[in-house]
Amino acid sequence: MSIMKPVSANSRILLSCTVAAVLAACSSAPRDEKSTLTRPDSDRIAAVQAIRAANAGENSALQVNPLRDPAVEGFVAQAAHAEKLGQFDDAFVAMSKARKLAPEAPDLLQSEAEIEFLRGNTEQAEKLAYESFKKGPQVGTLCVQNWQTIVEARKIFNDPDYRAVAEGKREQCKVKRPVRL
């Protein structure tokens, strides 16, 4: 028969605190997945500026300028205006309306990707840019923007390996004009 010694109140408090501290150390706060995949607004704006500037001075042999319904152009203009005002959700709504009228247009997919990037939806932006690449000419200025979007997304995802692949693909988009005599 064992005799248990009574535990003092101070010992109980100390034991409770120790157990609570051990349990607290073992648990972790829930991780907000979205916060790790977004940047502050100023960084997202700078990234979209880099996407749009990626083909600056590009003297590609291929330029694709689609003819389209004036209603689509109206929604594209609304999206651009809303973006200039910093109203990225309104820009998204207008671009979505344009995409409903021309769902396969690769330039609209890329524009929507840029708006999604501005809204902080980096994963969706990357998916749209790649979809634009697949549906687009796969060379020229739109192609450069597609891959620069993926480069910027990979910066956020901290994925230097695929970022390097995307940078290489971006360079492959640049098709120089043949030299004519």
Side-chain angles (χ1 to χ4, degrees), residues 114-153:
E114 293 166 12
I115 292 169
E116 286 288 31
F117 211 111
L118 290 167
R119 294 175 72 211
N121 300 328
T122 311
E123 288 180 65
Q124 183 64 15
E126 184 181 46
K127 287 176 188 175
L128 287 164
Y130 189 71
E131 186 179 345
S132 172
F133 169 75
K134 289 306 240 183
K135 291 181 178 182
Q138 300 186 2
V139 292
T141 57
L142 180 60
C143 178
V144 171
Q145 286 181 279
N146 297 148
W147 285 105
Q148 184 64 35
T149 303
I150 295 168
V151 167
E152 296 297 329

Side-chain angles (χ1 to χ4, degrees), residues 64-84:
V64 178
N65 297 310
L67 298 174
R68 73 170 53 118
D69 182 339
V72 172
E73 292 301 328
F75 289 128
V76 170
Q78 285 177 9
H81 180 69
E83 182 185 323
K84 284 180 185 172

Side-chain angles (χ1 to χ4, degrees), residues 49-102:
Q49 288 171 343
I51 291 165
R52 292 174 180 165
N55 62 13
E58 179 61 27
N59 190 14
S60 179
L62 180 66
Q63 295 290 335
V64 178
N65 297 310
L67 298 174
R68 73 170 53 118
D69 182 339
V72 172
E73 292 301 328
F75 289 128
V76 170
Q78 285 177 9
H81 180 69
E83 182 185 323
K84 284 180 185 172
L85 297 175
Q87 299 168 347
F88 303 133
D89 290 337
D90 292 342
F92 174 77
V93 168
M95 187 56 65
S96 295
K97 290 177 182 177
R99 287 257 342 266
K100 283 180 184 172
L101 296 173

Side-chain angles (χ1 to χ4, degrees), residues 7 22 37 149-150 178:
V7 178
V22 168
L37 300 179
T149 303
I150 295 168

